Amino acid sequence: MGDNTAKNQVFDVSVNVLQRGNSKFFDDDGRPKRTGTVWTASAHIITAVIGSGVLSLAWAIAQLGWIAGPAVMLLFSFVTYYTSTLLAACYRSGDPVNGKRNYTYMDAVRSNLGGVKVKICGVAQYLNLFGVAIGYTIASSISMMAIKKSNCFHSSGGKKNPCRMNSNPYMIAFGIAQIIFSQIPDFDQLWWLYILAAVMSFTYSSIGLGLAIAKVAENGTIKGSLTGISIGTVTQTQKIWRSFQALGDIAFAYSYSMILIEIQDTIRSPPSESKTMKRASFVSAVVITVPYMLCGCMGYAAFGDMSPGNLLTGFGFYNPYWLLDIANAAIVIHLVAEYQVYCQPLFAFIEKQAASTYPDSQFINKDIKVPIPGFRPYNLNLFRLVWRTVFVIMTTVISMMLPFFNDVVGILGALEFWPLTVYFPVEMYIAQEKIPKWSTRWVCLQTISMACLVITIAATVGSIAGGVQDLKSYKPFQTTY
């Protein structure tokens, strides 16, 4: 223990000397100068948020109707933006400009709350990141199969079920791509992939919106009702469960708080990281909500009670088939990047824990320089290679066993929303700002938290009920589409 303390003191002195001599290249914590801006942070957020979840919003609004559907979406948008500003204020402990940095969500919880809440946060955050990887693997395979199915439909002359296919090869192909991209060591080295993904997300969202508008024009009427899917199309019990599941789907579409601190840690200063992140959160909230509302509402207007669970793969649309192919290809490219956005914080956490537990292990800590002609040598780390590969294989195998897009999305959204998007940001902000218990501000913050807890419980129950129904009729490894 004494040796470690001495080493830390020597390291701190070295860092201070390094900072004084090279302040142009290093930040106040001795790490390489951060270069992120409000625009790169917004790109990270938009990439993380506008994903496959947007395609389930028409189905979600169909369960809730024209009044509750858009209202719930606006509510989730506001709550997510507001609590993200609270969380952004917790990046530094104490002084917002010069205080101690919290590099991860868990670090922020440790600095502001401590105790058992740190472990609870870690379990909630990293289990959810693991689940998101599964959800994205499922979504990517559905889009890849949709490309093949639309081409089969076109070549068969309009028969609606010309193809039968297995989803497993598509999940395996996605997994192989993720094994490769997962070997990129650091979060900030993937910025180019995230910008590409942001472009792809707007591409398929725009196509889905355009096709929905065309469908409304073709129908000559706006479908749907004020209260959502009608009894008769579903039973009373199914109506209740589906309404709850819709809350989970909408929550999933807005979830990104679990990686907000990690995104904020890429931002340069001045101005303060908190100020920049709040601006990025506002820009992102506006940019995200507009296509969400348009895609969800126009999809419901086009299909009414029959709105598909996935707007571009549920085959409410069959033509033009080439445009559907472009949209689904854009989804796959986007999901390749989004998988990394969510998994990189988990990768970093495991590798940091392994390095601190086994500091003398060559397998864990040694980098092997691999020369690449025309580029800088690649630092190959054997532990990173093995553990990240095993992680991707695990998520792929589980995805092959549970290919239920809407159910997985609903459960993930429900389980992430309250603890990570609402509870911890509210509690950390109260602790950091020293807000008196039972003051007006404290009561308002706690009221928001409790209301969101009720929504989370309802969404979880509804999504699990939907999953149980699907499991009854499912045979693992025999999925056809």
Side-chain angles (χ1 to χ4, degrees), residues 301-323:
F303 297 106
D305 285 358
M306 304 310 294
S307 295
N310 186 312
L311 193 59
L312 290 172
T313 63
F315 285 90
F317 307 112
Y318 283 90
N319 283 302
Y321 78 99
W322 56 268
L323 190 59

Side-chain angles (χ1 to χ4, degrees), residues 219-479:
N219 294 338
T221 184
I222 294 176
K223 294 188 176 182
S225 66
L226 296 180
T227 56
I229 192 167
S230 56
I231 305 300
T233 304
V234 294
T235 66
Q236 181 71 50
T237 302
Q238 287 175 324
K239 167 79 172 175
I240 294 171
W241 293 140
R242 284 184 169 210
S243 297
F244 289 166
Q245 185 178 341
L247 298 177
D249 283 9
I250 295 173
F252 178 80
Y254 279 102
S255 64
Y256 75 95
S257 296
M258 68 186 90
I259 58 170
L260 186 142
I261 294 291
E262 284 81 353
I263 293 174
Q264 193 167 346
D265 192 44
T266 67
I267 295 173
R268 69 187 179 203
S269 62
S272 70
E273 300 86 357
S274 175
K275 185 176 180 180
T276 300
M277 198 62 188
K278 288 176 182 178
R279 287 179 58 200
S281 295
F282 177 76
V283 170
S284 302
V286 174
V287 171
I288 290 162
T289 300
V290 171
Y292 274 15
M293 291 292 289
L294 288 172
C295 285
C297 292
M298 291 309 300
Y300 182 40
F303 297 106
D305 285 358
M306 304 310 294
S307 295
N310 186 312
L311 193 59
L312 290 172
T313 63
F315 285 90
F317 307 112
Y318 283 90
N319 283 302
Y321 78 99
W322 56 268
L323 190 59
L324 286 170
D325 289 353
I326 291 173
N328 281 297
I331 292 172
V332 174
I333 294 170
H334 179 264
L335 289 172
V336 168
E338 197 164 13
Y339 186 105
Q340 291 299 317
V341 171
Y342 279 94
C343 290
Q344 283 288 335
L346 176 58
F347 293 159
F349 172 74
I350 295 296
E351 287 153 23
K352 179 181 176 182
Q353 292 299 311
S356 63
T357 304
Y358 304 101
D360 299 322
S361 171
Q362 294 289 305
F363 174 71
I364 293 174
N365 297 294
K366 184 179 179 180
D367 287 341
I368 303 171
K369 299 286 184 181
V370 178
I372 302 176
F375 297 92
R376 292 183 302 172
Y378 174 72
N379 292 322
L380 175 64
N381 181 282
L382 293 178
F383 176 69
R384 182 174 67 234
L385 175 65
V386 172
W387 119 256
R388 294 190 182 190
T389 300
V390 170
F391 173 87
V392 174
I393 291 172
M394 286 175 58
T395 59
T396 303
V397 170
I398 294 172
S399 301
M400 291 161 66
M401 298 174 67
L402 296 170
F404 310 129
F405 178 70
N406 262 47
D407 299 329
V408 171
V409 162
I411 292 171
L412 291 175
L415 293 179
E416 184 272 342
F417 180 67
W418 180 71
L420 298 176
T421 301
V422 182
Y423 174 75
F424 282 115
V426 165
E427 292 300 314
M428 286 192 289
Y429 185 75
I430 288 173
Q432 181 150 303
E433 297 297 316
K434 298 179 173 57
I435 298 174
K437 197 170 185 180
W438 301 114
S439 64
T440 302
R441 198 175 184 189
W442 183 91
V443 170
C444 289
L445 288 169
Q446 294 294 351
T447 300
I448 292 173
S449 182
M450 289 301 101
C452 291
L453 173 60
V454 172
I455 292 172
T456 291
I457 292 171
T460 303
V461 171
S463 299
I464 291 174
V468 169
Q469 290 296 318
D470 286 338
L471 279 171
K472 288 180 180 178
S473 58
Y474 176 66
K475 296 179 181 179
F477 302 106
Q478 297 180 19
T479 302

Side-chain angles (χ1 to χ4, degrees), residues 69-315:
V72 169
M73 286 180 63
L74 288 174
L75 175 65
F76 273 87
S77 176
F78 172 76
V79 170
T80 302
Y81 163 68
Y82 179 67
T83 56
S84 69
T85 64
L86 303 183
L87 186 56
C90 299
Y91 172 67
R92 287 185 184 265
S93 297
D95 187 81
V97 177
N98 300 310
K100 173 183 168 293
R101 294 175 184 265
N102 297 305
Y103 302 114
T104 66
Y105 199 123
M106 279 186 68
D107 287 343
V109 174
R110 184 177 293 108
S111 296
N112 290 283
L113 301 177
V116 71
K117 290 183 179 180
V118 179
K119 293 182 180 179
I120 294 173
C121 170
V123 171
Q125 182 183 11
Y126 295 118
L127 275 181
N128 203 271
L129 292 175
F130 182 77
V132 165
I134 295 170
Y136 289 162
T137 303
I138 295 170
S140 68
S141 71
I142 291 173
S143 289
M144 284 186 272
M145 289 192 295
I147 293 173
K148 184 171 181 179
K149 188 169 183 180
S150 72
N151 290 329
C152 285
F153 175 81
H154 177 73
S155 61
S156 68
K159 295 179 182 178
K160 290 202 171 183
N161 293 295
C163 290
R164 292 184 68 80
M165 65 193 80
N166 194 301
S167 63
N168 294 349
Y170 299 96
M171 293 188 187
I172 291 171
F174 183 80
I176 291 171
Q178 292 305 335
I179 288 174
I180 295 170
F181 281 109
S182 292
Q183 298 312 311
I184 298 175
D186 299 319
F187 194 73
D188 57 355
Q189 291 180 18
L190 293 166
W191 63 268
W192 59 272
L193 188 62
Y194 302 153
I195 292 175
L196 173 64
V199 173
M200 293 297 102
S201 68
F202 282 109
T203 298
Y204 66 72
S205 297
S206 299
I207 291 173
L209 175 61
L211 290 173
I213 292 173
K215 186 72 173 178
V216 171
E218 179 187 326
N219 294 338
T221 184
I222 294 176
K223 294 188 176 182
S225 66
L226 296 180
T227 56
I229 192 167
S230 56
I231 305 300
T233 304
V234 294
T235 66
Q236 181 71 50
T237 302
Q238 287 175 324
K239 167 79 172 175
I240 294 171
W241 293 140
R242 284 184 169 210
S243 297
F244 289 166
Q245 185 178 341
L247 298 177
D249 283 9
I250 295 173
F252 178 80
Y254 279 102
S255 64
Y256 75 95
S257 296
M258 68 186 90
I259 58 170
L260 186 142
I261 294 291
E262 284 81 353
I263 293 174
Q264 193 167 346
D265 192 44
T266 67
I267 295 173
R268 69 187 179 203
S269 62
S272 70
E273 300 86 357
S274 175
K275 185 176 180 180
T276 300
M277 198 62 188
K278 288 176 182 178
R279 287 179 58 200
S281 295
F282 177 76
V283 170
S284 302
V286 174
V287 171
I288 290 162
T289 300
V290 171
Y292 274 15
M293 291 292 289
L294 288 172
C295 285
C297 292
M298 291 309 300
Y300 182 40
F303 297 106
D305 285 358
M306 304 310 294
S307 295
N310 186 312
L311 193 59
L312 290 172
T313 63
F315 285 90

